[in-house]
Amino acid sequence: MIPRVEIIALGGTIACQPDAAGAGVAPSLTAADLVIAVPALAGRAVVGARDLANLPSTEIDLPLLFALAILIRAFEQDGTEGVVVTQGTDTIEETAYVLDLLHNGRLPVVVTGAMRNPSLPGADGPANLLAAVTCAVDPACRDLGVLVAFDDTIHAARWVQKRDTTSTGAFWSPAPLGWLAEGEVALYARAKRRAGVSVPTDAAVPFVPILKPGISDEPRLIEAAMAAGAAGLVLDLAGGGHVHTDWLAPLSDAAKRVPVVFASRTRGGRVLGGTYRQPGGEIDLVSRGLTGSGDLDALKARLLLMLLLMAGRPDEFALRASLSLPALTS
């Protein structure tokens, strides 16, 4: 029996068309339009098409993602074999990670989009959509959580990052799970997976800003954020997680009141925890009550902290921020 896949469209470049005056493009194509543009989908699955939004991806917010997660659960309960989400690429690394934190099911959820809108030569949306549906129906992709399929590469949502503004190969992760080879899924790895975060439907979205200090940057934003009602702070710091000593007093004060997480602005490698002991080094920050972001960059650390605050479980941050596989035991 041919599998059933639901495509849920949120808008983005993959759904863009030029306006009548030729002054740029904006999302307007529907999920059904995207399906019609890729006849090869019919050979992969019985495809359903649903529009949940038609927005630039910077307009996507947590309430929309909560509604999307509920819809995905309903599709799984109805026997759907896989779900594909199409959206703008600007926030794919964030939305895919949120969905991964919320998704407890077994079915593949695959997020994709396009870097070139359909009016351009070499538009990549159709190929990415076909690749995403191919992943969504492949049994090997079950129990992997949320994936991002882009440029024939399969990424785990918890690792993926957008690293270029225009390249069709903009998405990167330190260890992709696999590739599409001759139109078929070829997996090379499986990412560690944890139970999803259960967020109450009536929980308010907390204010958790990211602060990214540079040279000679004064710590005024810490005080401003706290005065504005921040429920937590995420610091995007230099190197392995280091900050100027002028920031230490206000950070220490903030950490007594709300969770304060520090990440590395390099966006590569794990934030350090026990190497540098100078004032402002990561050992000093931990001693002041701050928490390292583990394997997460600042964008994902913020989202994890927000969901855990909404769930009333911020103490789980350090455990969930460790994405690496456990050490092998003999």
Side-chain angles (χ1 to χ4, degrees):
M1 182 181 295
I2 190 166
R4 181 157 56 99
V5 170
E6 292 289 340
I7 295 175
I8 306 172
L10 302 183
T13 296
I14 194 171
C16 278
Q17 291 190 106
D19 69 7
V25 299
S28 60
L29 297 175
T30 67
D33 293 330
L34 300 182
V35 171
I36 291 170
V38 191
L41 291 175
R44 293 287 180 183
V46 175
V47 177
R50 180 180 295 239
D51 299 297
L52 190 60
N54 209 336
L55 303 166
S57 67
T58 48
E59 295 297 312
I60 295 172
D61 57 16
L62 284 180
L64 177 59
L65 294 178
F66 295 152
L68 176 55
I70 291 170
L71 185 57
I72 289 169
R73 285 195 291 272
F75 280 136
E76 181 161 25
Q77 291 167 2
D78 192 39
T80 299
E81 278 84 357
V83 170
V84 170
V85 178
T86 63
Q87 67 159 87
T89 61
D90 286 353
T91 62
I92 275 182
E93 63 189 287
E94 293 176 89
T95 59
Y97 180 58
V98 169
L99 290 176
D100 192 56
L101 290 172
L102 298 174
H103 180 48
N104 261 324
R106 299 191 63 201
L107 90 167
V109 177
V110 188
V111 185
T112 196
M115 294 297 294
R116 294 176 181 164
N117 73 75
S119 70
L120 295 177
D124 55 329
N128 288 338
L129 184 58
L130 181 59
V133 170
T134 300
C135 291
V137 301
D138 196 305
C141 292
R142 291 182 69 80
D143 296 311
L144 293 182
V146 177
L147 307 173
V148 172
F150 220 96
D151 196 31
D152 280 345
T153 307
I154 304 167
H155 303 279
R158 67 214 72 161
W159 287 108
V160 73
Q161 297 174 344
K162 185 177 181 182
R163 291 287 191 96
D164 195 278
T165 57
T166 58
S167 170
T168 56
F171 287 89
W172 173 94
S173 59
L177 302 184
W179 290 265
L180 276 295
E182 296 184 316
E184 301 296 333
V185 170
L187 288 183
Y188 289 80
R190 298 182 72 85
K192 181 171 71 171
R193 193 177 180 201
R194 287 198 176 89
V197 178
S198 180
V199 178
T201 56
D202 60 348
V205 176
F207 173 45
V208 179
I210 296 175
L211 308 183
K212 187 175 183 177
I215 288 178
S216 290
D217 206 353
E218 297 181 15
R220 301 180 190 182
L221 288 178
I222 299 173
E223 298 161 6
M226 295 302 295
L233 299 176
V234 174
L235 285 300
D236 203 13
L237 301 184
H242 307 142
V243 72
H244 193 282
T245 52
D246 286 352
W247 285 61
L248 295 179
L251 283 177
S252 298
D253 180 64
K256 295 174 183 176
R257 294 185 277 166
V258 300
V260 181
V261 171
F262 65 94
S264 170
R265 70 189 189 192
T266 66
R267 297 231 299 167
R270 173 177 281 190
V271 72
L272 300 180
T275 300
Y276 293 96
R277 64 177 180 83
Q278 76 270 13
E282 77 280 355
I283 294 175
D284 182 40
L285 295 180
V286 170
S287 74
R288 294 172 183 270
L290 281 69
T291 302
S293 67
D295 293 303
L296 298 176
D297 61 23
L299 286 173
K300 289 187 169 74
R302 171 180 173 268
L303 292 167
L304 174 59
L305 181 57
M306 290 174 73
L307 292 191
L308 291 176
L309 285 167
M310 295 173 76
R313 290 148 54 189
D315 56 314
E316 293 183 11
F317 181 89
L319 176 64
R320 289 181 175 270
S322 177
L323 306 181
S324 305
L325 293 172
L328 295 175
T329 56
S330 56

